[in-house]
Amino acid sequence: MTALAAPGRGAGLRDTVRAEWTKFRTVRGWLVALVLAVGLLVLFSYLQAHGKHTGYCTSPNPSSCVNGHPYVPNGPGGEAVADAYELVSRPLTGAGTITAHITSLTGRIWAGPSNEAPSLVHTRAGLAGWSKAGLMVTPSTRQGAAYASVMATGGHGVRFQDDYIHDSAGLPGPIAAGATRWLRLARSGDTITGWDSSDGASWHRIGSARLSGLPRTVLVGLFVTSPNTFSGQATRATAAFDHITLAGPGGAGLKGAARPWQAASVGIGPRDFYTALGRGDERRAGSSLLVTGTGDIAPAVADAGPDTASDSLLFGIVVALIVLIVVGAMFATSEYRRGLIRTTFAATPRRGRVLLAKAAVIGAAGFAVGAVASAAAIPLALHVMRANGNYIYPTGPLALAQVIVGSGLLVALSAIAVLGIATSVRRSPIAILAGVVVFVLPAFTGPGVLGPGAGGGATWLYTVTPAAGFSVLGLLPRSALVSFPYTMSNGYYPLPPWAGLLVLCGYAAAAVGAAHFLLRRRDA
């Protein structure tokens, strides 16, 4: 590096940044390294995507899978959803109200050996917390169709839910003797409203939903479903309904309807997820109608497959980080090695300003590498993974923008932190080694590089160390409406994306702060 004109004593931060950028861009090797980092990130993302071939299939009969993966419907908002249930319904034209009394809700849970396909033979009594039984309005039985429902659940009381992601709480507590539940669902135009009652006389409005574009004739009826438990055990639920009435055109009870009630098992075909405990059914028991179902009506989580738009990025970002760690360390130490730092500090005595300018330059370079490379790598990796038959969770433009911007910030903050370390120790080898150990090695305990995270130790690393920044790559959906262990072993990062970046930002700030403290207390 040759000596360059310094900004002068009266120069502000802007001029100092310009001077540091001029120093940076005159070293051709550093610019080449940035281009190399972009290329390596894209290359390794491609290689990782190319190595992914679908092998996930819940069905014991592989020929029943679509492209090797069970069918996953999309909801009205384009999100992946689980949509499998037993429905007893009839058409309703125009406005109407359906009312029913649920007197019991019981279930069965698969308890057989893990090497055997689940069936009703090896089940035990038990009820999943999100087993659901209640009333529904939907335009059709197509999976992913819009809907609104009021329901009793196994462990979350009465709920009003619509379009898979919206949820409002009603009466608490499970269905039991002396604690039965009355449910009511009314349609007026595109608006569906749900009520509950403990005695059938005093009613409480839980909530309402507007289903845009709802046709004049819809299906209205009773439904039951029961999801896999948090441990992956298949479940099945049975609800007893009585006092079923439908007020509206042709409305009547279950027997007296002018148009017949029809039963349908939705989403329980051989290509679907919830085939383990068979199809649902319905039957008379005295004055009650018993409806049995299995499945779920909720957002799809990791049971539907582990691939997302960011799954191929992790190893490429790790490689790019190593390049930026080397460049960041050398950007801080090269002037010390050549003795040019004295000239810099003579021209700009405010050493903190010089440090901030260097941080701005290396941070901008790191952000450009991470964001540009990710923006190029994501569509390439998606194309390759889809061509290999992988199921990819639907991802909206805002989520993709989060990954691209987050990847840039991840690389930028790590490079700034290494710059601070290098400024403190003044030795490139030491700074590079520290950067690799602190900012790179923890990434190899997370999902996506060498396999699932190693339990609590990996969770700790991704919570309180700089590795938390990799949370920006987390795109697997979560939902409070699905009982699932959102752990690293299942592909989930322990922190939300921006919380993870804040942890990394704290380390970068600490490294730069320590460097500033040392700069002010020692000679150049």
Side-chain angles (χ1 to χ4, degrees), residues 23 64 67 91 126 202 234 239 255 287-288 295 325 328 396 435 440 457 463 512:
K23 295 176 186 178
S64 68
N67 291 329
S202 178
K255 286 184 177 180
S287 62
S288 296
I325 285 171
V440 173
T463 303
V512 173

Side-chain angles (χ1 to χ4, degrees), residues 37-395:
V38 171
L40 289 174
L41 198 159
V42 175
L43 173 62
F44 279 99
S45 294
Y46 165 78
L47 292 175
Q48 193 167 359
H50 186 68
K52 283 179 172 287
H53 293 270
T54 186
Y56 184 88
C57 179
T58 58
S59 171
N61 178 13
S63 65
S64 68
C65 294
V66 178
N67 291 329
H69 191 281
Y71 172 67
V72 182
N74 292 340
E79 66 282 350
V81 298
D83 196 18
Y85 55 97
E86 185 71 9
L87 178 67
V88 179
S89 68
R90 54 146 294 178
L92 171 68
T93 301
T97 300
I98 184 172
T99 302
H101 178 218
I102 302 182
T103 58
S104 70
L105 180 58
T106 58
R108 306 291 300 178
I109 296 178
W110 165 249
S114 59
N115 61 348
E116 181 180 317
S119 67
L120 289 174
V121 176
H122 298 294
T123 60
R124 60 177 175 81
L127 191 61
W130 277 114
S131 293
K132 302 171 182 179
L135 311 176
M136 174 185 291
V137 169
T138 182
S140 73
T141 56
R142 176 186 61 83
Q143 287 182 277
Y147 76 95
S149 62
V150 61
M151 67 193 73
T153 66
H156 301 276
V158 175
R159 321 293 294 195
F160 177 81
Q161 296 182 353
D162 65 280
D163 287 353
Y164 306 93
I165 59 176
H166 304 122
D167 172 72
S168 300
L171 289 169
I175 302 291
T180 59
R181 294 290 181 260
W182 292 76
L183 304 178
R184 177 171 290 171
L185 202 61
R187 181 208 180 173
S188 176
D190 286 353
T191 301
I192 313 297
T193 306
W195 288 269
D196 64 5
S197 171
S198 58
D199 56 10
S202 178
W203 290 89
H204 165 252
R205 180 182 179 277
I206 307 172
S208 64
R210 186 174 184 273
L211 306 183
S212 299
L214 200 62
R216 179 166 172 76
T217 298
V218 296
L219 296 177
V220 60
L222 321 171
F223 79 96
V224 175
T225 190
S226 186
N228 290 346
T229 66
F230 71 91
S231 57
Q233 295 169 303
T235 71
R236 183 178 172 98
T238 299
F241 297 88
D242 63 14
H243 293 86
I244 304 164
T245 60
L246 178 60
L254 198 61
K255 286 184 177 180
R259 302 174 70 178
W261 295 75
Q262 298 290 333
S265 295
V266 178
I268 314 295
R271 67 175 183 166
D272 296 302
F273 287 110
Y274 293 100
T275 59
L277 291 183
R279 301 175 67 87
D281 61 55
E282 56 288 323
R283 63 189 185 279
R284 292 283 187 165
S287 62
S288 296
L289 177 68
L290 301 183
V291 181
T292 298
T294 185
D296 204 1
I297 308 174
V301 295
D303 271 341
D307 294 319
T308 69
S310 63
D311 274 1
S312 67
L313 288 179
L314 184 55
F315 193 80
I317 287 179
V318 166
V319 174
L321 263 182
I322 295 174
V323 176
L324 264 295
I325 285 171
V326 174
V327 173
M330 295 182 66
F331 185 43
T333 60
S334 59
E335 288 188 271
Y336 285 99
R337 188 174 64 253
R338 298 173 181 270
L340 298 177
I341 195 67
R342 293 185 179 87
T343 303
T344 298
F345 286 157
T348 309
R350 297 184 64 175
R351 300 182 178 188
R353 180 173 294 174
V354 174
L355 179 62
L356 287 178
K358 287 182 178 292
V361 170
I362 197 63
F367 181 84
V369 167
V372 171
S374 297
I378 286 175
L380 175 62
L382 286 176
H383 173 76
V384 172
M385 286 192 290
R386 289 191 177 113
N388 286 346
N390 294 77
Y391 172 75
I392 311 295
Y393 272 103
T395 304

